[in-house]
Amino acid sequence: MSPWYGALIALVAVERLAELVVARRNARWSLGRGGVVYGRRHYPWMVALHTGLLAGCLLEVWLADRPFVPGLGWPMLGLVLAAQALRWWCVTTLGPQWNTQVIVVPGLPLVRRGPYRFRWLRHPNYVAVAVEGAALPLVHSAWLTALAFTLLNVPLMAVRLRCENAALATAAPGSATRDAGAGTAA
């Protein structure tokens, strides 16, 4: 395994920890304003899947001796960086309303700026999750991890999106955050 790939995975792990710090702070803010948490049952599965992604990237490359293939690795690294940029664009746009959990604060207006201004892209953070989950392992040819993450993420995201959309629907129209559970730290 290339030493820089291990460093890349470590940096992504640090980024995930930073997300958790931001999410905890934002959860206190939301709950202090009457926020309601939805989807507690699926959240531990998200944590496990995202932790497994990072572990799988390292283990598959190490155990299966996956090579770095420049023609695949560099474009995938570009996608990883783009996914991180999109993720943090979502985080900064939603501000204290962003969280890794689905928390809706009744009475808050929909966020309609940043990546949320595009009506055709209702959940931009989940696009970042899907892209990163496939691209990060493929930076170093860990195709089994990319495939496993993607296949496991599809049903989990279906549950998450149903939960989030239902949570947002509980608030009066126009009174909830556009993407209350936009985080993916898990």
Side-chain angles (χ1 to χ4, degrees):
M1 172 175 14
S2 303
W4 64 267
Y5 186 65
L8 174 64
I9 301 303
L11 285 172
V12 172
V14 167
E15 185 276 333
R16 289 294 190 277
L17 293 174
E19 281 185 24
L20 289 174
V21 169
V22 170
R24 285 193 180 136
R25 181 190 67 219
N26 291 350
R28 284 191 301 272
W29 183 90
S30 294
L31 295 173
R33 285 159 181 75
V36 179
V37 180
Y38 297 86
R40 293 180 194 262
R41 288 183 31 207
H42 75 263
Y43 187 72
W45 293 102
M46 288 181 62
V47 172
L49 180 61
H50 286 264
T51 302
L53 170 66
L54 300 179
C57 286
L58 295 174
L59 288 172
E60 182 179 352
V61 169
W62 180 55
L63 294 173
D65 198 26
R66 299 284 191 228
F68 175 74
V69 178
L72 175 64
W74 292 122
M76 292 301 108
L77 180 60
L79 287 175
V80 168
L81 296 174
Q84 291 297 330
L86 178 56
R87 171 179 287 117
W88 283 97
W89 189 18
C90 294
V91 172
T92 58
T93 298
L94 290 174
Q97 294 171 271
W98 176 86
N99 210 294
T100 58
Q101 299 180 71
V102 178
I103 304 177
V104 175
V105 179
L108 291 181
L110 289 173
V111 173
R112 297 193 189 278
R113 63 188 184 285
Y116 299 96
R117 70 179 178 262
F118 306 116
R119 295 208 179 262
W120 54 269
L121 184 61
R122 183 151 180 189
H123 301 282
N125 194 70
Y126 301 143
V127 172
V129 170
V131 168
E132 182 190 60
L136 185 61
L138 291 176
V139 167
H140 216 292
S141 303
W143 63 272
L144 286 173
T145 300
L147 181 63
F149 178 87
T150 300
L151 292 176
L152 293 170
N153 191 49
V154 167
L156 185 56
M157 277 299 100
V159 169
R160 176 68 171 218
L161 288 169
R162 276 194 307 275
C163 170
E164 189 166 308
N165 290 334
L168 293 172
T170 64
S175 67
T177 302
R178 173 80 180 255
D179 198 359
T184 62

